[in-house]
Amino acid sequence: MIYQNDINSQRLLPNFDQSLIWPAILLLSLGLVMVYSASISIAEAGRGTNGYPAYFLIRHGAYLAAGLFAGLIAFQVPLRLWQKYSLHLFLLGMALLLLVLIPGIGREVNGSRRWISLVIVNFQPSEFMKLFVVLYAANYTVRKAAYLGSFRKGLFPMLIVMLMAGSLLLLEPDLGAFVVITAILMAILFLGGMDLKLFAKLTGFLLICLLMLIWIEPYRLQRFFGFMDPWDDPYGKGYQLSHALIAFGRGEWLGVGLGGSVEKLFYLPEAHTDFLLAVIAEELGFLGVMTVAALFAWLVIRAFVIGRRAAMRERHFNALVAQGIGIWLGVQAFINMGVNMGVLPTKGLTLPLMSFGGSSIVASCVALAVLLRVDWENRQLMKGYAV
């Protein structure tokens, strides 16, 4: 009788993790409001916007609708199918990264060739590659679990794959996406049981490679020097960071009020994309920034909790996918926030779920839908249903 009551109580569990859904909705909603606030002046004066103030708001709203629709479809796909076709998706991502580099197909913006023009929107393959890497790395780690202590059998094949994907990203160039994807791969391998000594050695090797990539490219080196002392050349290499810091300083504790930012008035470059957090800091203050940081932290925590529950049920692919998505969103948000605050060198990475950009929004929504699917399958198993 007690056992039957336990079964019935388990079946009354909600189907979704509400503590994951609501923070995501808050981030998406706040992002919509802040993109509108940050882009009004740019839209009024920009080319191709016809001087319409709500130009970026409408487009961002359309991206959100597309992201939610894509997420709804992705949620219907069982994790066993994501695992089955993870290699196919990864190869698709590699092909798209290669297409970006072909003149006439890839579109160049601000010296970088990262987009494929789809007439009305630009498609950025590197955003979806992050999800494909999560799926592929999780599947690889599960299949090669017995060999993760061996460099030749376990890590060398993944290192080759990492170098191939990284080379395509660096040719765009997109060092930020390369760093995020490398972090995802390394974290999933570590969580999957990679030997600690090998992990430490590989991490050291990758850090040396990162420093070399910064050193050999003059523009990256200039950005690094600008990060070290933005006030040494505030109208040159330190321009972006100096204005971001001014925005943070003006915001103080509670901000100057929604819509009251001065830095978004053509002082702060990319105010509605890479430096959206600086506008949030100026208009909503320390409280607004900490709210955003806390919401992202909570998403990462929930992703790891969901992953742990899947691992307890011996669904190791599901567990690594959930944790990989949490790492992706957490690392990218951390880098973007660090850049805005002057803690990290300037890099062209958007703030997930918030910054303007169709590919980023859609990819993030699909990733969250996959994460919700992992949680849903966990709950179905707890209720005694087969998944």
Side-chain angles (χ1 to χ4, degrees):
M1 186 65 178
I2 295 176
Y3 174 76
Q4 187 63 42
N5 288 337
D6 289 342
I7 293 292
N8 291 335
S9 64
Q10 292 286 358
R11 290 183 175 178
L12 292 176
L13 282 171
N15 286 324
F16 304 102
D17 187 345
Q18 301 293 326
S19 63
L20 174 66
I21 293 175
W22 284 109
I25 290 174
L26 287 173
L27 286 170
L28 290 169
S29 302
L30 181 59
L32 181 66
V33 173
M34 294 311 302
V35 163
Y36 180 43
S37 177
S39 65
I40 292 175
S41 299
I42 302 170
E44 287 179 339
R47 295 178 181 177
T49 63
N50 296 320
Y52 187 52
Y55 176 82
F56 290 102
L57 172 67
I58 292 172
R59 290 180 72 88
H60 193 73
Y63 296 151
L64 275 178
L68 293 174
F69 179 72
L72 182 63
I73 294 174
F75 179 78
Q76 310 303 318
V77 180
L79 266 295
R80 66 178 183 275
L81 290 182
W82 287 113
Q83 183 174 11
K84 180 179 179 180
Y85 294 104
S86 60
L87 176 59
H88 301 79
L89 290 172
F90 181 79
L91 293 176
L92 172 63
M94 293 285 284
L96 291 172
L97 290 179
L98 190 60
L99 282 176
V100 166
L101 302 174
I102 299 175
I105 298 178
R107 184 183 178 190
E108 186 173 328
V109 180
N110 296 329
S112 297
R113 191 181 293 273
R114 303 176 185 175
W115 297 268
I116 296 175
S117 178
L118 301 180
V119 184
I120 58 173
V121 294
N122 291 324
F123 172 70
Q124 189 173 359
S126 60
E127 292 295 335
F128 291 89
M129 190 62 175
K130 295 166 188 172
L131 176 60
F132 299 159
V133 164
V134 168
L135 297 169
Y136 175 75
N139 185 35
Y140 179 89
T141 303
V142 169
R143 288 188 297 107
K144 298 286 187 176
Y147 302 105
L148 290 180
S150 167
F151 177 79
R152 185 174 64 85
K153 293 183 178 180
L155 301 182
F156 184 70
M158 180 57 79
L159 184 61
I160 296 299
V161 169
M162 186 188 303
L163 290 174
M164 290 172 60
S167 298
L168 293 175
L169 288 168
L170 292 174
L171 287 172
E172 295 183 5
D174 193 351
L175 181 61
F178 174 68
V179 170
V180 172
I181 284 174
T182 302
I184 292 169
L185 283 169
M186 291 295 294
I188 289 178
L189 287 171
F190 177 75
L191 292 168
M194 179 180 178
D195 181 77
L196 188 58
K197 290 182 179 179
L198 282 176
F199 177 78
K201 291 177 181 178
L202 190 54
T203 300
F205 171 73
L206 291 172
L207 287 174
I208 292 171
C209 290
L210 178 61
L211 291 175
M212 289 179 62
L213 288 171
I214 294 173
W215 185 262
I216 63 177
E217 281 289 350
Y219 79 92
R220 289 182 189 141
L221 198 58
Q222 289 298 313
R223 283 185 177 181
F224 182 78
F225 289 140
F227 153 73
M228 295 297 292
D229 186 7
W231 307 110
D232 179 57
D233 187 12
Y235 297 104
K237 59 180 179 288
Y239 183 81
Q240 290 176 306
L241 180 53
S242 62
H243 281 280
L245 294 176
I246 290 170
F248 271 83
R250 290 192 75 247
E252 298 184 350
W253 290 101
L254 300 177
V256 297
L258 187 62
S261 170
V262 171
E263 286 300 318
K264 69 183 181 184
L265 304 176
F266 309 105
Y267 294 105
L268 186 64
E270 309 297 337
H272 60 307
T273 55
D274 300 349
F275 285 90
L276 184 67
L277 188 72
V279 178
I280 293 174
E282 188 176 1
E283 296 190 351
L284 304 182
F286 177 78
L287 180 62
V289 173
M290 288 306 299
T291 299
V292 170
L295 289 172
F296 274 111
W298 185 251
L299 281 183
V300 174
I301 290 170
R302 293 310 304 166
F304 271 78
V305 169
I306 291 169
R308 182 169 57 84
R309 289 174 179 169
M312 290 170 62
R313 289 161 181 78
E314 297 187 354
R315 300 174 76 87
H316 300 294
F317 173 78
N318 297 20
L320 291 174
V321 167
Q323 292 166 348
I325 290 171
I327 290 159
W328 161 21
L329 297 177
V331 167
Q332 185 162 331
F334 175 79
I335 293 174
N336 179 275
M337 292 179 185
V339 167
N340 276 255
M341 297 177 188
V343 178
L344 296 172
T346 303
K347 254 331 298 136
L349 277 176
T350 58
L351 188 60
L353 304 172
M354 299 189 72
S355 292
F356 178 80
S359 298
S360 176
I361 288 292
V362 173
S364 298
C365 287
V366 171
L368 285 176
V370 174
L371 180 57
L372 274 173
R373 177 74 193 196
V374 175
D375 176 68
W376 183 83
E377 291 190 6
N378 287 345
R379 291 168 186 261
Q380 295 303 107
L381 290 172
M382 289 176 67
K383 293 177 181 181
Y385 301 131
V387 180

